[in-house]
Amino acid sequence: MTARMKLPVLLSVSFKYLWSYRRRYLFLFLTLAFSFGVVTVISSLKDGMEEGLYFSAQSHYAGDIVADGRESGSSTDHLTETEMTAIFAAAEAVNITTSSLAIRTTRSGRREGAIYFNGNEAALKYVVGVDWEREKSYFSKLLYTGEPGFTDDQSILLSAPIAQELGARQGDSVVLETLTTLGEKNTGNFVVAGIVEDSSFFGYYKVYVSRLTLNRLIGFNDGDCSLIGFFLPSRSGIKEKREALHRELSSRITTGPLVYDRDGFDEAYRQIESGIVTFLLTLPVYLSEAAQVMDAIDLAFLVLFSMMLAIIMVSAAVTSRLILHERIRETGTMRAIGFYEADVRLIFKLEIFTMALFSMIAGFFLALLINVILSGTSFTWVPGFEVFLQNGRLSARYLPGTIVVNIAAVGCMLGLAIWGPIFRNSRNPLPEMLSGGAL
Amino acid sequence: MKLIKIYSKITALLLLLFLTLPLWGISDADLLRQADNIASYMDADFSAEYTIIQEKPGQGRTKTVAGVFRRDTKETYVIVIMEPAINKGQGYLKQGKTLWFYDPGSRRFNSSSSQERFQNTNARNSDFTRSTLAQDYRISSGADAVLGSLKCRVLSLEASSTGMTYPKMKVWISEEGLVRKTEDYSLSGQLLRTSAITDYWFIGGRYVPKQILFVDALRGASINGTFINERTQITITKPSFRKLADSIFSKTFLESVNR
């Protein structure tokens, strides 16, 4: 009998055995299904959280590619009309298509502003000047406490922690204090148009006002800005697009070098001697700030993943040993009627891996169920967790690569756990096996 | 001794005469320069004990006691915190345009800014240095006014040099040429802070404020339906114009205070 002819027979035998011993396999089936389910939940949530962080960062830093103007001796990012015209012309020349565009003026730093209401003060880390109309779609996606009101040049959007610190509600009049580019204090009166539910490190100390009003407050020309953000329709080819834009832009205005992380950016900024230098940044440059958070998530994922794999290995080793012990006479009989050792081993392996396949399918459905429950739960009450959420909810991502890795890892653990007992079982002397001797 | 006392009194009288007489005759710019000169001690070192009471409505009072040492000729000062116990030993050293803050806990010096609040009060670090109003601001208008029982000249100022914390100010200068009240404004004209100097020491022919009251226009709280502003009162005692050792105006001094 050739191997090609033998395999269907062995498969059929193994399925029959699997069905006959289904009760014996139940414990291992449940353990594997649960463990694979947990592993899938963890990995899909991790991928979802990373995606959430990317989206949060994309919203905060205004795009996939950001043109940021830095000026020697100034802490304020600044692009004048000259740089802005050059950036738009360069983007057109290299055919950068965008799904949306953000033009913002930002004041960010240790204490670049404060907001006052009814005698209370809240220090601000980010004062962001936006074009309400241009970024309508972005603001419609934010989570608000209540229904946000109409926004104009006198409107301000506060983060929920800031509003709580001030005791301010929608419709209240607040005073925003900031520093001009020359370091003078300047103030403006604003009406709270909405309160944004964001207590993440991107949004905690943040307010949004009109770009025109902020420009006037800090002493920019009306049309100036700090950055221009390009939201691209797809994440593929961002690196190449940035390089092409950089080449084109460098022929028009002074640009900084292409930098790949925050340290590189800071170093390049220190080397500016005079005038405005435009940098083209991508999110990984900014996100190197959040690298520690991501490392912590990865570590927690690895610990949980390892624990689950250990559970799988121990359960599989114990269960398979028990099953093999119970079936030792049967194995002996199979050997006595002419089955080769390798065939006997293959039957057992096929049994267990078939069962594992079904349990992983069950585990995947279990993961889907758990993720549906988790995504229906609000986690906005966890301080700083918003940065990982999408629309205030945990979002799972089932990346094919991650699922294949999970299946491979579970398969490997299972293989390692059952290989030893199966091998020993098939190698026992025939008389001992037929008499029900030890494994 | 008697001769010195008589001499001091005569000098004071002459100075008063000198200060009061020209009020009607000198320009606003000269008046502002004169006010600066009175609050600057270019011919001597200055030291005093400052008791700073910070009152936050609804949150009670906090008291800070500090030793202040000034050498205006070198544009330097040193402040050593003596109370409360938790901040004891903290210090500030201004050398030229750099202001250092020393924390004995970490034994480190960190650069600070003159614009920052002093020990979380309504006073700024810049309030402890000599007055340079005539240098930093230009007068946009002037008018006569009465402040309590004092006849004053109110000068509206606008920053002429860059980087001034308050780009607009109003200063009340009394007949003697002493600053009695100031109002600090933002660029858009919002009142941010009011300060009042009700009384002065007169020692060795020089004027030293006895009490300075800072009232924050934006910070405060509503108590029983009435808005009460946050305020800081500085009481200056033990003023002295004795020469100070050069070693006081150094980082080593701040470190040694804590040993």
Side-chain angles (χ1 to χ4, degrees), chain B residues 2 19 27 64 80 106 123 146 172 174 183 191 199-200 235 255:
Chain B
K2 221 173 186 179
L19 294 173
S27 67
T64 303
V80 182
S106 61
V146 177
W172 278 253
S174 62
E183 283 181 353
L191 177 65
D199 204 0
Y200 281 85
T235 307
E255 287 168 325

Side-chain angles (χ1 to χ4, degrees), chain A residues 267-279:
Chain A
E267 182 55 38
Y269 172 48
R270 276 195 290 274
Q271 286 173 3
I272 299 173
E273 284 171 2
S274 62
I276 295 173
V277 175
T278 306
F279 287 89

Side-chain angles (χ1 to χ4, degrees), chain A residues 110-111 116-121 175 177 179-180 182-189 216-217, chain B residues 115-117 124 159 162-167 186-188 190 192 218-222 227:
Chain A
R110 193 158 60 97
R111 199 193 144 90
Y116 299 89
F117 173 67
N118 207 15
N120 296 322
E121 179 202 12
V175 175
E177 179 189 282
L179 295 176
T180 66
L182 299 174
E184 299 161 322
K185 278 181 186 288
N186 203 0
T187 51
N189 290 292
R216 288 176 180 173
L217 272 177
Chain B
Q115 297 179 348
E116 281 181 27
R117 297 170 77 188
R124 301 264 154 195
T162 57
M164 299 308 299
T165 314
Y166 301 109
S186 72
L187 193 63
S188 63
Q190 169 114 33
L192 299 176
L218 295 176
R219 296 181 183 90
S222 288
F227 186 79

Side-chain angles (χ1 to χ4, degrees), chain B residues 33-217:
Chain B
R33 214 167 291 124
Q34 189 178 299
D36 275 346
N37 290 339
I38 289 174
S40 305
Y41 313 118
M42 303 304 280
D43 55 346
D45 293 338
F46 168 74
S47 62
E49 189 175 291
Y50 281 46
T51 304
I52 302 146
I53 308 286
Q54 169 74 7
E55 197 177 327
K56 290 191 177 182
Q59 294 178 43
R61 291 175 169 203
T62 52
K63 182 182 165 189
T64 303
V65 180
V68 176
F69 308 90
R70 261 170 66 178
R71 181 170 284 173
D72 290 349
T73 46
K74 300 275 181 194
E75 292 201 1
T76 180
Y77 69 70
V78 163
I79 303 172
V80 182
I81 307 295
M82 299 185 288
E83 277 182 48
I86 196 165
N87 296 335
K88 192 175 177 180
Q90 288 180 352
Y92 297 81
L93 167 65
K94 186 173 182 288
Q95 290 176 318
K97 286 186 175 173
T98 315
L99 180 66
W100 295 104
F101 171 71
Y102 178 70
D103 179 21
S106 61
R107 294 184 184 173
R108 287 181 66 176
F109 283 90
N110 292 309
S111 68
S112 183
S113 157
S114 295
Q115 297 179 348
E116 281 181 27
R117 297 170 77 188
F118 177 77
Q119 294 282 310
N120 208 24
T121 65
N122 302 111
R124 301 264 154 195
N125 293 331
S126 53
D127 294 324
F128 295 88
T129 190
R130 74 184 183 93
S131 175
T132 51
L133 291 173
Q135 200 179 305
D136 299 328
Y137 292 86
R138 61 180 176 78
I139 300 161
S140 59
S141 66
D144 293 329
V146 177
L147 189 68
S149 58
L150 297 167
K151 278 185 185 172
C152 291
R153 184 88 181 143
V154 189
L155 304 179
S156 296
L157 310 176
E158 281 177 11
S160 56
S161 37
T162 57
M164 299 308 299
T165 314
Y166 301 109
K168 289 178 183 173
M169 278 183 85
K170 269 187 186 175
V171 188
W172 278 253
I173 301 173
S174 62
E175 288 172 309
E176 310 94 309
L178 298 168
V179 173
R180 296 291 181 171
K181 181 185 170 184
T182 65
E183 283 181 353
D184 305 324
Y185 294 87
S186 72
L187 193 63
S188 63
Q190 169 114 33
L191 177 65
L192 299 176
R193 190 177 74 156
T194 304
S195 62
I197 306 172
T198 47
D199 204 0
Y200 281 85
W201 297 99
F202 186 69
I203 305 157
R206 299 177 190 90
Y207 284 96
V208 177
K210 267 187 184 173
Q211 273 192 340
I212 311 170
L213 178 70
F214 293 105
V215 180
D216 198 307

